[in-house]
Amino acid sequence: MKKVNEKKIASLVKELLVELGEDPERDGLLKTPQRVAKSLAFLTRGYRQTPRQVLNNAVFDAGANHMIVLRGIEVYSLCEHHMLPFYGSCAIGYIAKNKVLGVSKLARIVDVYARRLQIQERLTEQVAAAIQKEAHAEGVGVVFKCRHLCMMMRGVEKQNSEMVTSAMLGSFRTDEKVRSEFLSLIH
Ligand code: ZN
Protein backbone atom coordinates (compact mmCIF):
# COMPACT_ATOMS: atom_id res chain seq x y z
CA MET A 1 0.00 0.00 0.00
CA LYS A 2 1.01 3.57 -0.68
CA LYS A 3 3.28 5.14 1.94
CA VAL A 4 2.56 8.69 3.05
CA ASN A 5 4.87 11.41 1.80
CA GLU A 6 6.01 12.83 5.16
CA LYS A 7 8.17 15.46 3.49
CA LYS A 8 5.21 16.83 1.58
CA ILE A 9 2.99 16.82 4.68
CA ALA A 10 5.69 18.61 6.69
CA SER A 11 5.91 21.38 4.10
CA LEU A 12 2.10 21.76 4.14
CA VAL A 13 2.15 22.00 7.94
CA LYS A 14 4.81 24.66 7.71
CA GLU A 15 2.56 26.68 5.38
CA LEU A 16 -0.33 26.13 7.75
CA LEU A 17 1.70 27.51 10.66
CA VAL A 18 2.39 30.68 8.66
CA GLU A 19 -1.30 31.06 7.77
CA LEU A 20 -2.19 30.71 11.45
CA GLY A 21 0.08 33.63 12.24
CA GLU A 22 3.01 31.65 13.57
CA ASP A 23 6.70 31.86 12.78
CA PRO A 24 7.79 28.34 11.80
CA GLU A 25 11.43 29.42 12.14
CA ARG A 26 11.24 30.10 15.85
CA ASP A 27 12.98 27.61 18.13
CA GLY A 28 9.98 25.75 19.50
CA LEU A 29 8.46 25.20 16.05
CA LEU A 30 11.54 24.28 14.02
CA LYS A 31 10.86 20.55 14.12
CA THR A 32 7.10 20.76 14.47
CA PRO A 33 6.24 20.19 10.78
CA GLN A 34 8.23 16.92 10.73
CA ARG A 35 6.75 15.83 14.06
CA VAL A 36 3.19 16.54 12.89
CA ALA A 37 3.84 14.66 9.64
CA LYS A 38 5.09 11.60 11.55
CA SER A 39 2.23 11.81 14.00
CA LEU A 40 -0.38 12.08 11.23
CA ALA A 41 1.15 9.13 9.40
CA PHE A 42 0.78 7.09 12.59
CA LEU A 43 -2.74 8.30 13.36
CA THR A 44 -3.92 7.38 9.87
CA ARG A 45 -1.99 4.15 9.44
CA GLY A 46 -5.28 2.24 9.14
CA TYR A 47 -5.46 3.39 5.50
CA ARG A 48 -2.42 1.26 4.87
CA GLN A 49 -3.68 -1.86 6.64
CA THR A 50 -6.40 -4.46 6.12
CA PRO A 51 -8.10 -6.75 8.67
CA ARG A 52 -6.70 -9.76 6.81
CA GLN A 53 -3.18 -8.40 7.23
CA VAL A 54 -3.40 -7.73 10.97
CA LEU A 55 -5.09 -11.09 11.58
CA ASN A 56 -2.07 -12.78 10.09
CA ASN A 57 -3.85 -16.17 10.12
CA ALA A 58 -4.72 -15.98 13.82
CA VAL A 59 -8.01 -17.78 13.16
CA PHE A 60 -8.40 -20.94 15.22
CA ASP A 61 -10.70 -23.95 15.10
CA ALA A 62 -13.13 -24.19 17.99
CA GLY A 63 -15.76 -26.80 18.75
CA ALA A 64 -18.39 -24.95 20.72
CA ASN A 65 -20.25 -22.03 19.20
CA HIS A 66 -20.79 -19.77 22.15
CA MET A 67 -20.59 -16.04 22.53
CA ILE A 68 -17.16 -14.45 22.83
CA VAL A 69 -17.04 -10.95 24.28
CA LEU A 70 -14.17 -8.51 24.58
CA ARG A 71 -14.88 -5.18 26.22
CA GLY A 72 -12.88 -2.15 27.29
CA ILE A 73 -10.91 -1.97 24.05
CA GLU A 74 -9.31 1.48 23.96
CA VAL A 75 -10.20 3.58 20.94
CA TYR A 76 -8.43 6.62 19.52
CA SER A 77 -9.64 8.05 16.25
CA LEU A 78 -9.95 11.34 14.37
CA CYS A 79 -13.28 12.83 13.32
CA GLU A 80 -13.41 13.44 9.59
CA HIS A 81 -15.19 16.76 9.96
CA HIS A 82 -12.58 18.54 12.07
CA MET A 83 -9.63 16.16 12.18
CA LEU A 84 -9.87 16.34 15.97
CA PRO A 85 -9.61 13.27 18.18
CA PHE A 86 -12.44 11.22 19.51
CA TYR A 87 -11.65 8.53 22.02
CA GLY A 88 -13.27 6.03 24.29
CA SER A 89 -13.87 2.33 24.38
CA CYS A 90 -15.33 -0.44 22.32
CA ALA A 91 -16.98 -3.76 23.15
CA ILE A 92 -17.21 -6.62 20.68
CA GLY A 93 -19.21 -9.82 20.87
CA TYR A 94 -19.58 -12.56 18.31
CA ILE A 95 -20.74 -16.11 17.88
CA ALA A 96 -18.46 -17.93 15.53
CA LYS A 97 -19.14 -21.00 13.46
CA ASN A 98 -16.24 -23.29 14.40
CA LYS A 99 -13.68 -20.53 14.08
CA VAL A 100 -12.45 -18.00 16.62
CA LEU A 101 -10.15 -15.01 16.19
CA GLY A 102 -7.10 -14.44 18.39
CA VAL A 103 -8.23 -12.13 21.20
CA SER A 104 -5.60 -9.45 20.64
CA LYS A 105 -6.60 -9.46 16.97
CA LEU A 106 -10.03 -8.04 17.78
CA ALA A 107 -8.34 -4.92 19.12
CA ARG A 108 -6.07 -4.79 16.08
CA ILE A 109 -9.11 -4.89 13.77
CA VAL A 110 -10.63 -1.95 15.68
CA ASP A 111 -7.42 -0.01 15.04
CA VAL A 112 -7.40 -0.74 11.31
CA TYR A 113 -10.58 1.34 11.08
CA ALA A 114 -10.06 3.73 14.02
CA ARG A 115 -6.73 4.93 12.66
CA ARG A 116 -8.37 6.77 9.79
CA LEU A 117 -10.54 9.86 9.49
CA GLN A 118 -13.86 8.60 10.73
CA ILE A 119 -17.32 9.19 11.95
CA GLN A 120 -18.17 6.96 14.90
CA GLU A 121 -21.21 5.43 13.18
CA ARG A 122 -19.22 4.19 10.19
CA LEU A 123 -16.35 2.99 12.39
CA THR A 124 -18.84 0.86 14.34
CA GLU A 125 -20.31 -0.68 11.19
CA GLN A 126 -16.94 -1.37 9.60
CA VAL A 127 -15.61 -3.18 12.67
CA ALA A 128 -18.76 -5.33 12.88
CA ALA A 129 -18.64 -6.20 9.18
CA ALA A 130 -14.94 -7.08 9.30
CA ILE A 131 -15.41 -9.45 12.24
CA GLN A 132 -18.39 -11.11 10.65
CA LYS A 133 -16.40 -11.66 7.49
CA GLU A 134 -13.11 -12.81 9.02
CA ALA A 135 -14.62 -15.06 11.73
CA HIS A 136 -17.48 -16.31 9.51
CA ALA A 137 -19.56 -15.35 12.53
CA GLU A 138 -23.27 -16.17 12.70
CA GLY A 139 -23.71 -12.94 14.63
CA VAL A 140 -21.72 -9.89 15.73
CA GLY A 141 -22.42 -7.04 18.13
CA VAL A 142 -20.23 -3.94 18.42
CA VAL A 143 -20.72 -0.96 20.75
CA PHE A 144 -18.55 2.16 20.79
CA LYS A 145 -18.69 4.83 23.52
CA CYS A 146 -16.63 7.89 22.68
CA ARG A 147 -16.04 11.51 23.59
CA HIS A 148 -15.44 13.90 20.72
CA LEU A 149 -12.98 16.74 21.21
CA CYS A 150 -14.67 18.68 18.40
CA MET A 151 -17.72 18.89 20.68
CA MET A 152 -15.76 19.38 23.89
CA MET A 153 -13.31 22.13 22.94
CA ARG A 154 -15.23 23.96 20.24
CA GLY A 155 -18.80 24.33 18.96
CA VAL A 156 -21.30 23.46 21.66
CA GLU A 157 -18.57 22.85 24.27
CA LYS A 158 -20.38 19.95 25.88
CA GLN A 159 -17.74 18.48 28.15
CA ASN A 160 -19.43 15.39 29.44
CA SER A 161 -21.45 14.01 26.59
CA GLU A 162 -20.55 10.58 25.38
CA MET A 163 -21.73 9.22 22.08
CA VAL A 164 -22.85 5.60 21.94
CA THR A 165 -23.15 3.72 18.66
CA SER A 166 -23.93 0.08 18.03
CA ALA A 167 -24.04 -2.34 15.14
CA MET A 168 -25.78 -5.72 15.40
CA LEU A 169 -25.43 -8.28 12.64
CA GLY A 170 -26.88 -11.77 12.10
CA SER A 171 -28.27 -13.42 15.24
CA PHE A 172 -27.41 -10.32 17.30
CA ARG A 173 -29.94 -8.45 15.19
CA THR A 174 -32.62 -11.13 14.79
CA ASP A 175 -32.49 -12.91 18.16
CA GLU A 176 -33.59 -10.82 21.11
CA LYS A 177 -32.06 -13.30 23.60
CA VAL A 178 -28.63 -13.20 21.96
CA ARG A 179 -28.68 -9.41 21.90
CA SER A 180 -29.65 -9.08 25.57
CA GLU A 181 -27.00 -11.61 26.61
CA PHE A 182 -24.42 -9.48 24.81
CA LEU A 183 -25.67 -6.22 26.28
CA SER A 184 -25.74 -7.62 29.81
CA LEU A 185 -22.19 -8.97 29.41
CA ILE A 186 -20.78 -5.60 28.37
CA HIS A 187 -22.43 -3.54 31.13
ZN1 ZN B 1 -15.81 16.64 14.50
Side-chain angles (χ1 to χ4, degrees):
M1 280 191 211
K2 197 167 165 255
K3 269 195 74 176
V4 289
N5 184 343
E6 286 184 19
K7 244 182 150 165
K8 171 80 177 175
I9 295 172
S11 92
L12 291 169
V13 171
K14 195 170 174 182
E15 274 184 60
L16 179 64
L17 286 169
V18 173
E19 287 305 318
L20 292 172
E22 262 295 355
D23 169 14
E25 303 301 333
R26 75 175 170 85
D27 257 11
L29 291 181
L30 271 181
K31 290 192 172 152
T32 296
Q34 290 95 311
R35 287 194 200 99
V36 173
K38 263 204 163 33
S39 163
L40 280 176
F42 180 84
L43 297 176
T44 61
R45 69 189 190 281
Y47 287 123
R48 296 166 290 283
Q49 296 174 330
T50 64
R52 189 62 53 86
Q53 234 174 20
V54 302
L55 268 175
N56 194 20
N57 297 319
V59 181
F60 307 104
D61 293 325
N65 292 340
H66 42 240
M67 188 180 298
I68 296 164
V69 171
L70 185 65
R71 59 184 190 184
I73 304 166
E74 278 180 59
V75 177
Y76 296 97
S77 190
L78 291 172
C79 86
E80 70 182 17
H81 301 134
H82 306 93
M83 292 178 73
L84 285 171
F86 64 93
Y87 64 95
S89 71
C90 165
I92 294 171
Y94 69 100
I95 300 175
K97 288 189 219 142
N98 308 314
K99 298 271 180 209
V100 294
L101 303 179
V103 162
S104 67
K105 302 298 183 183
L106 291 176
R108 299 284 311 275
I109 288 175
V110 170
D111 263 351
V112 168
Y113 295 103
R115 300 304 197 169
R116 303 178 185 198
L117 300 185
Q118 276 290 8
I119 58 171
Q120 190 178 323
E121 295 88 334
R122 186 176 62 227
L123 172 59
T124 308
E125 283 161 17
Q126 287 176 330
V127 169
I131 287 162
Q132 185 172 47
K133 183 167 172 227
E134 299 302 332
H136 306 286
E138 65 159 65
V140 180
V142 175
V143 175
F144 277 79
K145 294 181 186 173
C146 294
R147 287 170 193 270
H148 292 247
L149 285 194
C150 64
M151 275 185 76
M152 294 162 73
M153 53 192 293
R154 53 162 295 288
V156 290
E157 293 185 60
K158 290 278 173 272
Q159 309 296 328
N160 290 308
S161 53
E162 190 176 56
M163 182 165 162
V164 181
T165 48
S166 73
M168 303 287 160
L169 302 177
S171 54
F172 282 61
R173 174 180 287 276
T174 55
D175 189 335
E176 172 74 30
K177 270 184 5 208
V178 170
R179 186 165 59 243
S180 11
E181 183 188 345
F182 170 61
L183 294 173
S184 73
L185 284 170
I186 66 171
H187 285 126

